[in-house]
Every structure is written in C-alpha cells, then in structure tokens.
Amino acid sequence: MNLILLSPDDIENDRLARVRDPRRLAHLREVHRASPGDILTLGIEGGRLGRGELLALDDDEALFDVAALDQAPPPALPVHLVLALPRPRMLARTLEHVTALGVKRITLLNTRRVEKSYWQSPELGEEKIHRHLVLGLEQARDTRLPEVVLAKGFRPFVEERLPDLLAERRGLVAHPGMPGDCPRGLDEPVLLLVGPEGGFIPWEVERLLTAGCEGIHLGPRILRVETAVTALLARLF
Amino acid sequence: MNLILLSPDDIENDRLARVRDPRRLAHLREVHRASPGDILTLGIEGGRLGRGELLALDDDEALFDVAALDQAPPPALPVHLVLALPRPRMLARTLEHVTALGVKRITLLNTRRVEKSYWQSPELGEEKIHRHLVLGLEQARDTRLPEVVLAKGFRPFVEERLPDLLAERRGLVAHPGMPGDCPRGLDEPVLLLVGPEGGFIPWEVERLLTAGCEGIHLGPRILRVETAVTALLARLF
C-alpha cells in the first residue's frame, strides 16, 4: 500500500477524512507503524493525491488532513483490455497487475476454452473485483478505478459490441502463431484481446480478424495469462 | 504444463524415457487425460524438444518414445537478472515468470531493504528453486534451466562480481526516479538490476551508477517486483 486510498464515504469535508475499515487500519498500524503527526501519501478515489497528515489513530478510526492533496493521478494507458476470463486466482492477480499498470477499461469475455465453472466463482463478485482493483491502485499510487464489464457470450460481444469498440481503437488480438510481432511504443488507443489458457479457438480468431483486428504474437514462448498481459502492455505502450 | 520436461535421470536410451514422479504422472492423467498412443510435447532438460508418443502409462510410471525430438528450445533473452531477494511467495512467482520469459542467469542479491528473514526461507532451498524453474520451462516450452546464484552481501557483489559482469554487458538499474526511460527492443547483452519492495537505498544506487550502470525507470507508477520485472524484460527485448 504505497497510497492510502480514500473512498468518497471516507471524506468528511475539504479538510478531513475518516477511515474505519479494519484492513486499512491494520495496515497503518502494522506496516506503516503510523502515529499521529506522520505525513503519508493519500489519494481520493477518482480524484487528486498528495501528502497528508495523520491527525489521530485509535482502534476504530484514523483521521487524515486532506487539504493539501494537489497532484493528478498518473496517466492511464490508452487501452481497453478484453481478457478471456481466467481461472479465479489468476483473475485476481491479473486484475491487480493491469490496474497497477494503468488499464482503465477491462472486459472479461467468455470464449470456448474458458471453463464454465469460472463464471460461478466468488472472485467475480462486485466486492471481490473492487478489492483487487483497489489493491492495484494502492500499489501504483493511482486513484482512478478501472471499469470492469462481464461479457458472457462471445458471439454477442463480437456482433454487438466489437464494432463500436473498434470504431475508435486499433484492435490487436494476441495469439501464438499470429503473423505480426507485437508493436512497440504505441500512443494511439488500442483494443487488446487476450485469449484463455489454451488460446482462442481458430473460429474465434477468424471472427476477430474479420471484424478488423490485427493478429500479433509475443514470440515462440507460451506464457501464462498474467505474464502475457503484463508483457503485452509493457511492450505496446 | 505445455511440455513434459524429461530430466537426464528419466532418459533410458535414445528412444525411451521413463517418468516416475507423482507430479508429472498426476498431470498426465488429470490434465492431459493421456492414454498410450497419445502424441505429446516432450523436451529433454538442456536439450531438444518435439512431439513424442506415450507408449505406456500405469500407476507407477509413464514410458515415452523420444526418438523424434528434433527442435531446438526457443532463444534465450540476452540478460543477466540481478534481483534484490523478494519475499518468498513473490520470489516463487517471479522465478516462474522470468524463466518462462527466457532469462537464463539470475542473481538474488541482498540489499539494505531486503528483510533478513527472507534469506532463511525454505523457498531458497535448491529443490524449491529448481521446482519453480521447471514450472517456468514447462509453461514456455523451453528445456534450458536458468542458473540461480545467491549473493548475500551487497558490497562484495559490487566490488568483486559487478566489474566482471559489466565487462561484457550494458548495466541497467531499474529504480523509480532515475533519469532514463527504459530502452526498447535491445539486442545487446544486458545486466538488469531490480531493487526490493521499497527500492534500493540512495547509497546503493550511487554505488551501482559509479560502477558504470545506467539508471532507468518505467514511469511514475510503483509496481510490485513481479510486475516490474516482467514489464522491464518485455520492454527491453
């Protein structure tokens, strides 16, 4: 937690924020070993960040002076990430990685090789997802939460949503064996599609290419989804 | 496991390999649902890989025909990674990521902000480290194990080993706030140094720069070690 992220509910007024949840209180005590008077890095969800004083800390709450928060959060990546739903533990870690890297739009997509049971996982609950996004923001000192959308049908996604998404973005399908090497250092908006373990099936790749996406690869190595997504984002931007 | 990695002990002769360990046998049965006659991707530790037939499978062993393995493993990254020893779970995952990405030389380094207890972790045992390297190779379909060296003193490393390492490599210290943007698409040998959570201390950075390393950064976001290392390798090469 390189940033204490304050939710709108924590904000009392222009000067004062009050934190009551056990996770952040425990972190303040055990990791920061914080005591009143300490100056910490604070950010307001969706807003500014900076340094602020811990005014008081007891078993039930921490009070912060938020008057001096005047920095903008770091720039976002110009990418909408469409990720075939990974298995639950991989999803959790991948959400943290990509949030820390600055992704702000994430669509979790069903494809043929996504195991159906993954869609029943408690990790897909709104609160669980929110928690991983917050961990990513706290890690990277960012305040703007990504938006996560579930797309439980591949065909409806391709037919109804993909054309709009591609209207203003360069579509890239990352898939082993595609002809194009992953481009480097882009500064245009990108729609990046990443398949499940085992990959997209050929019909899915065909549909995405026909819709206007380019096929790209990261080389001959087969990478786990979390490694591949981080590597793709780092190389693309 | 995208590759069944055969150790030298598994090889009976030019044609036959015999696998007896419970982990790979369980994987063959439960994930591959393999039965005799199946053609699987096999590789010999340190050597060639390709497709080979499962000749027999019972509770105690699997027999493979390895006569037709004729592909070279994928190219390695031209990098020696020097990583401040991360906490044990992070170490395990990072070893898997970087092995899958093709790193072949890893030095785990002590620095001021590495917690002393990390050096006592069972994760540093030779067998544990070997297991994570094997998982990385199996993931990426590679056969060449990385070499992992422990450097328990920062000063001896800098004084005794660093000059030789830098004699034939471009030294890059990844550290937030350094002046240089991380270079892209290098094809020269690199010594990449990555600090612990909390970073190198200023004195350590100074020593590394004085020794001839360049300071580079990945932008304003603070990343976890495993995310940062993957992002650095993907951007550098």
Side-chain angles (χ1 to χ4, degrees):
Chain A
M1 192 147 80
N2 296 307
L3 169 87
I4 317 285
L5 188 65
L6 304 164
S7 77
D9 288 349
D10 299 328
I11 307 299
E12 299 259 313
N13 58 46
D14 284 355
R15 298 196 59 88
L16 197 67
R18 191 184 301 265
V19 165
R20 290 170 181 273
D21 70 292
R23 181 182 72 90
R24 286 178 295 172
L25 290 177
H27 193 94
L28 278 167
R29 273 193 297 268
E30 289 156 25
V31 180
H32 287 289
R33 296 198 178 89
S35 51
D38 287 358
I39 306 294
L40 297 164
T41 302
L42 312 174
I44 298 173
E45 200 181 294
R48 309 222 141 223
L49 55 95
R51 307 279 285 171
E53 186 177 343
L54 176 62
L55 300 170
L57 175 66
D58 64 24
D59 288 351
D60 300 319
E61 64 177 31
L63 289 177
F64 292 100
D65 178 352
V66 295
L69 309 189
D70 60 357
Q71 298 165 38
L77 294 182
V79 67
H80 184 139
L81 175 64
V82 179
L83 190 63
L85 182 65
R87 62 191 153 85
R89 279 199 325 185
M90 182 84 79
L91 171 66
R93 288 205 302 267
T94 305
L95 288 175
E96 292 177 29
H97 293 310
V98 305
T99 302
L101 288 163
V103 174
K104 297 300 175 194
R105 288 166 183 278
I106 303 165
T107 295
L108 299 173
L109 178 64
N110 193 46
T111 73
R112 183 70 170 73
R113 293 199 182 120
V114 170
E115 287 202 26
K116 286 199 172 45
S117 65
Y118 297 171
W119 289 103
Q120 314 306 326
S121 162
E123 287 292 337
L124 278 182
E126 209 166 307
E127 269 188 39
K128 286 278 190 132
I129 285 186
H130 184 262
R131 186 161 69 183
H132 295 296
L133 303 179
V134 165
L135 287 171
L137 293 181
E138 289 174 346
Q139 170 63 45
R141 290 193 178 151
D142 193 356
T143 64
R144 284 179 290 178
L145 279 166
E147 177 190 87
V148 177
V149 171
L150 309 187
K152 296 189 184 178
F154 181 83
R155 194 190 291 259
F157 172 79
V158 169
E159 291 174 2
E160 292 157 28
R161 298 199 45 220
L162 190 56
D164 285 349
L165 292 172
L166 289 176
E168 44 194 27
R169 292 177 189 84
R170 178 172 174 187
L172 300 173
V173 184
H175 187 67
M178 287 286 107
D181 206 354
C182 176
R184 292 172 189 269
L186 301 181
D187 60 359
E188 65 195 303
V190 167
L191 184 77
L192 174 64
L193 298 106
V194 178
E197 278 179 274
F200 291 112
I201 62 170
W203 177 83
E204 288 163 346
V205 174
E206 194 51 46
R207 289 298 306 260
L208 296 171
L209 298 181
T210 306
C213 296
E214 301 162 53
I216 63 168
H217 70 84
L218 271 177
R221 295 171 177 277
I222 318 272
L223 301 175
R224 284 160 71 178
V225 167
E226 61 172 326
T227 321
V229 170
T230 300
L232 285 161
L233 293 171
R235 194 169 287 186
L236 284 172
F237 302 107
Chain B
M1 191 147 81
N2 295 307
L3 169 86
I4 318 284
L5 188 64
L6 304 165
S7 78
D9 289 348
D10 300 328
I11 307 299
E12 298 258 315
N13 57 47
D14 283 356
R15 299 198 57 89
L16 197 68
R18 192 184 299 266
V19 165
R20 289 169 181 274
D21 70 292
R23 182 183 71 90
R24 285 178 295 170
L25 291 176
H27 193 93
L28 278 168
R29 272 194 295 270
E30 289 156 25
V31 179
H32 287 291
R33 296 198 178 89
S35 51
D38 287 359
I39 307 293
L40 296 164
T41 302
L42 312 174
I44 298 174
E45 200 181 295
R48 309 222 140 223
L49 54 95
R51 307 278 286 171
E53 187 178 341
L54 177 63
L55 300 170
L57 177 65
D58 64 24
D59 287 353
D60 299 320
E61 64 177 30
L63 289 179
F64 292 100
D65 178 353
V66 295
L69 309 189
D70 60 357
Q71 298 165 39
L77 294 182
V79 68
H80 184 137
L81 176 64
V82 180
L83 190 64
L85 182 66
R87 61 190 154 85
R89 279 201 323 186
M90 182 84 79
L91 170 65
R93 288 206 301 267
T94 304
L95 288 175
E96 293 178 27
H97 293 310
V98 305
T99 302
L101 288 163
V103 173
K104 298 298 174 195
R105 288 169 182 277
I106 302 166
T107 295
L108 298 173
L109 178 65
N110 192 48
T111 74
R112 183 70 172 70
R113 293 200 181 121
V114 170
E115 286 201 26
K116 287 201 172 43
S117 65
Y118 297 171
W119 290 102
Q120 313 308 325
S121 163
E123 286 293 336
L124 277 184
E126 210 167 306
E127 270 188 39
K128 286 278 191 133
I129 285 186
H130 184 263
R131 185 160 70 183
H132 294 297
L133 303 179
V134 165
L135 288 172
L137 293 182
E138 290 174 344
Q139 170 65 44
R141 290 192 178 150
D142 193 356
T143 65
R144 284 180 290 179
L145 280 166
E147 179 191 85
V148 178
V149 171
L150 308 187
K152 296 190 185 178
F154 181 83
R155 194 189 292 258
F157 171 80
V158 169
E159 291 173 3
E160 294 157 26
R161 298 200 45 222
L162 191 57
D164 284 348
L165 291 172
L166 289 176
E168 44 193 29
R169 292 177 190 83
R170 178 171 174 188
L172 301 173
V173 184
H175 187 67
M178 286 287 106
D181 206 353
C182 176
R184 293 172 188 270
L186 301 182
D187 59 1
E188 65 195 304
V190 167
L191 184 78
L192 174 64
L193 298 107
V194 179
E197 278 179 273
F200 292 112
I201 62 169
W203 177 83
E204 289 163 345
V205 174
E206 194 52 44
R207 289 298 304 260
L208 297 172
L209 298 182
T210 304
C213 296
E214 302 162 53
I216 62 167
H217 69 84
L218 271 176
R221 296 171 176 277
I222 318 273
L223 300 176
R224 284 159 71 177
V225 167
E226 59 172 327
T227 321
V229 170
T230 299
L232 285 161
L233 294 171
R235 194 169 288 185
L236 284 172
F237 302 107

